[in-house]
Amino acid sequence: MPSINLNQIGISIEGDEFRSIADNLQGNILKSHGRGHTSHIFFKFNPNKQREAKLFIQKFAETKLTSAAQQERDAQQFRYESRQKFFFGFYLTAKGYDFLGVPANKKPSDNAFLNGQKGSKDKLLDPEFDTWDIGFQGDIHASILIGYGTPSREMLDKKTEKIVKELRKNGLATILAIDEGDAIKNNNNDDIEHFGYVDGISQPRFFTEDLNNVTTSNWNPLMPISLVLVPDPSIAVDNAFGSYFVFRKLEQNVREFKKAESRLAQELFNDPENELAGAMLVGRFKNGMPVTLSSTATNSEIANNNTVGKINDFNYGDDTKGAKCPFHAHIRKTNPRGESVKQGVTAEQEKAHTMARRGIIYGKRHVLPQDKPSFDEMPTKDVGLLFMSFQASIEKQFEFIQKQWANNDDFVNENTGKDGIIGQGSFHPDVQQQRYATIHGDKDSIKVAQGFGKFVTLKGGEYFFAPSVSFLKTINSAEIA
Ligand code: N7H
């Protein structure tokens, strides 16, 4: 089999590159599995069950696991026959590799992965472990992701129960946590998160076909697969790739966020309902309209209702003072679209921090965000985002974005302030650093406002590796351990 060039920018779904890796690569890495409901089972194998654990994994890989090639076939079938299939993913932690007896030189070697997410607590300014959900407080060996897309979770819950039963059989494993993701959509059929904003618009794209009908004059999302793939070190097979997988359960205090958003609107515009305030915190209006392009959510010169939730061809070149989109806005912090170039970094080096985001929201709500709940009807806990991302390096991608950009008061300029959505660390509402223009586009109207942040709280998480299909299928054979 020919070895492939991972650094080629964009591959074709029909091409030799994809064909030569797709059967042996897990799905959901190069493209989202797209199901609206998910279960995430976190577990630990029990002592003296190494052999049984390997047999379980081998059988799971042979009978369930969804490869990238299978995901494509399932998507075709869904498009043409509306028949949907379950999606299955399987991920191992560094402790999981140790339990399975994989020797150190055959384990994925990313340092952050080897130390586990708990090892990065101080670096990321994460909260104390005893505030995490109990299931995430101890060691985790592995996680199974199951996705399904019907309007209800019923079929998925049955499948989840069945797998949990198999894991518990004869004391094979202890189930530590089961988290459930359930997407919600706005009236334009775009996925939204609990603060009410369209999410998942901006992604690195790996397939040239994904860019059909998309303009890329100001931002080209096409990236090389080396952004998310590394050779699977556990198996000596050509073109066997895996990816590092970050999972973080991020709780959202919707009520306090929405109150603070409206206080900010009052402070900036004398109008607690003015949507520009929230748009400046996120960098996009609720419907996805980038605030650097428009002072209003609807703007017929830029997009109609159907396309507004997909706009991504923009950068901040015309907004160098942050007079439209503030420097601390969530999407400007987490993807500066060329801005860190002024700090001596090339555009390619900046882009190399990008990751494939695969999150889904969790938690039940009485009144959905688009149905305009009163403050009292908004949840303060038990809802949020199951943040997930795939990358080639946890340190250079997820951790870099969280630590060097979102948490960093001095990125992109000195005294910019933290990302008001996900920034972590010492923070006091009286510390006024975050700046906003009170007249859209007018740099002379920029002023500091009350500090905004701390409405998103980590409730637990872990770092995983998504191994190649062939490793999981042959895990029981003698060559590996
Ligand atoms: Fe974010 N939000 O609702 O405010 N995010 N995010 N995120 N996020 C994005 O453009 C949100 C989190 C990124 O390329 C949008 O896709 C919430 C973490 C990146 O322009 C919205 C939470 C990290 C982008 C949100 C959360 C990131 C992005 C706009 C937690 C990384 C793309 C939709 C509860 C460490 C930026 C879109 C770009 C977009 C929200 C978490 C990163 C609405 C509520 C932890 C890279």
Side-chain angles (χ1 to χ4, degrees):
M1 208 185 279
S3 61
I4 62 161
N5 175 10
L6 291 185
N7 295 318
Q8 176 180 331
I9 298 183
I11 58 173
S12 168
I13 202 120
E14 310 283 349
D16 287 346
E17 291 82 9
F18 185 57
R19 211 163 291 147
S20 59
I21 61 172
D23 281 314
N24 200 6
L25 178 70
Q26 292 204 46
N28 202 29
I29 301 170
L30 297 180
K31 251 187 184 189
S32 160
H33 65 70
R35 277 50 163 198
H37 297 284
T38 57
S39 296
H40 308 261
I41 310 171
F42 298 92
F43 56 97
K44 189 178 170 191
F45 293 111
N46 286 324
N48 307 320
K49 294 283 179 190
Q50 193 199 64
R51 194 179 143 65
E52 290 83 346
K54 287 181 175 179
L55 284 171
F56 172 88
I57 295 171
Q58 182 182 338
K59 189 171 156 218
F60 186 88
E62 279 167 356
T63 58
K64 295 198 170 61
L65 195 66
T66 311
S67 67
Q70 185 64 44
Q71 180 181 337
E72 246 345 271
R73 287 192 291 272
D74 293 350
Q76 296 274 0
Q77 200 175 26
F78 184 61
R79 259 196 300 277
Y80 298 117
E81 299 166 33
S82 293
R83 285 226 339 248
Q84 62 162 315
K85 301 251 284 280
F86 285 100
F87 176 87
F88 296 100
F90 189 92
Y91 315 112
L92 282 170
T93 63
K95 300 257 183 208
Y97 275 93
D98 292 343
F99 175 85
L100 294 166
V102 177
N105 63 349
K106 289 190 172 183
K107 267 168 69 175
S109 58
D110 181 282
N111 257 327
F113 167 80
L114 291 174
N115 295 325
Q117 198 168 123
K118 293 185 191 78
S120 293
K121 171 178 173 284
D122 294 342
K123 199 187 327 180
L124 302 179
L125 309 173
D126 280 344
E128 296 303 323
F129 302 134
D130 61 5
T131 67
W132 291 19
D133 285 2
I134 194 99
F136 292 103
Q137 291 185 16
D139 289 347
I140 297 170
H141 286 161
S143 175
I144 286 175
L145 159 61
I146 319 168
Y148 201 66
T150 53
S152 88
R153 295 188 53 90
E154 213 184 322
M155 298 271 283
L156 176 60
D157 287 342
K158 275 195 190 135
K159 186 65 80 182
T160 308
E161 247 171 65
K162 229 174 132 187
I163 292 175
V164 163
K165 217 167 143 186
E166 278 173 49
L167 281 166
R168 284 196 172 125
K169 203 166 149 192
N170 301 323
L172 172 62
T174 302
I175 306 297
L176 303 167
I178 303 175
D179 280 287
E180 297 180 351
D182 295 296
I184 49 178
K185 291 186 183 288
N186 66 10
N187 300 332
N188 287 343
N189 211 29
D190 293 317
D191 283 326
I192 55 173
E193 54 67 60
H194 282 290
F195 296 147
Y197 291 81
V198 174
D199 201 359
I201 308 166
S202 181
Q203 291 283 7
R205 304 286 173 191
F206 304 107
F207 296 106
T208 46
E209 287 85 349
D210 286 346
L211 288 192
N212 287 344
N213 308 319
V214 175
T215 59
T216 56
S217 336
N218 301 300
W219 175 251
N220 191 340
L222 206 57
M223 311 232 180
I225 54 178
S226 58
L227 189 76
V228 286
L229 300 190
V230 295
D232 185 338
S234 311
I235 185 157
V237 166
D238 277 347
N239 296 334
F241 293 103
S243 184
Y244 291 98
F245 178 61
V246 171
F247 180 93
R248 283 165 78 81
K249 183 173 184 180
L250 297 171
E251 186 175 70
Q252 292 174 247
N253 185 337
V254 178
R255 189 184 301 164
E256 290 311 316
F257 176 93
K258 286 302 204 190
K259 282 185 179 169
E261 191 185 51
S262 118
R263 277 197 302 271
L264 181 69
Q266 174 66 33
E267 186 178 343
L268 299 177
F269 309 114
N270 243 332
D271 169 11
E273 312 257 295
N274 195 323
E275 293 193 340
L276 191 51
M280 290 203 288
L281 287 164
V282 172
R284 291 182 186 264
F285 285 87
K286 290 198 199 75
N287 64 358
M289 172 70 80
V291 74
T292 196
L293 298 183
S294 174
S295 61
T296 47
T298 50
N299 186 330
S300 56
E301 277 173 33
I302 297 174
N304 61 34
N305 254 359
N306 296 331
T307 53
V308 65
K310 303 189 174 48
I311 301 175
N312 205 30
D313 185 18
F314 66 94
N315 59 44
Y316 303 103
D318 287 337
D319 189 13
T320 52
K321 302 281 183 227
K324 294 172 186 165
C325 182
F327 292 119
H328 68 276
H330 176 58
I331 67 162
R332 194 164 183 167
K333 274 278 200 186
T334 56
N335 183 5
R337 297 182 186 232
E339 272 195 316
S340 54
V341 172
K342 62 185 172 195
Q343 302 183 338
V345 170
T346 67
E348 280 64 39
Q349 284 166 334
E350 187 196 83
K351 263 189 166 175
H353 298 300
T354 318
M355 59 202 164
R357 289 179 301 133
R358 297 289 181 255
I360 187 166
I361 64 167
Y362 74 90
K364 305 271 175 288
R365 294 199 43 171
H366 301 298
V367 187
L368 295 175
Q370 67 269 38
D371 295 333
K372 302 207 162 47
S374 65
F375 288 133
D376 285 348
E377 289 168 327
M378 293 174 187
T380 55
K381 58 186 176 84
D382 299 331
V383 302
L385 177 71
L386 303 178
F387 174 87
M388 287 172 266
S389 63
F390 286 104
Q391 50 261 294
S393 160
I394 294 173
E395 270 175 322
K396 291 201 189 105
Q397 292 165 273
F398 163 69
E399 288 197 344
F400 186 93
I401 295 177
Q402 182 74 53
K403 175 175 184 274
Q404 305 287 352
W405 289 349
N407 293 356
N408 184 355
D409 288 316
D410 297 322
F411 183 80
V412 57
N413 298 311
E414 213 171 292
N415 222 10
T416 288
K418 294 186 201 315
D419 177 328
I421 310 293
I422 62 159
Q424 301 194 133
S426 71
F427 180 92
H428 192 277
D430 297 337
V431 177
Q432 304 203 336
Q433 273 179 309
Q434 299 159 330
R435 290 173 174 72
Y436 309 78
T438 52
I439 302 168
H440 190 257
D442 178 357
K443 69 173 174 27
D444 296 327
S445 75
I446 294 177
K447 66 169 202 180
V448 288
Q450 194 173 37
F452 193 104
K454 293 257 163 179
F455 302 107
V456 169
T457 309
L458 179 73
K459 300 304 284 182
E462 190 47 285
Y463 293 152
F464 298 87
F465 189 71
S468 63
V469 176
S470 57
F471 167 65
L472 296 173
K473 277 188 180 167
T474 56
I475 196 162
N476 197 35
S477 71
E479 313 115 60
I480 285 161

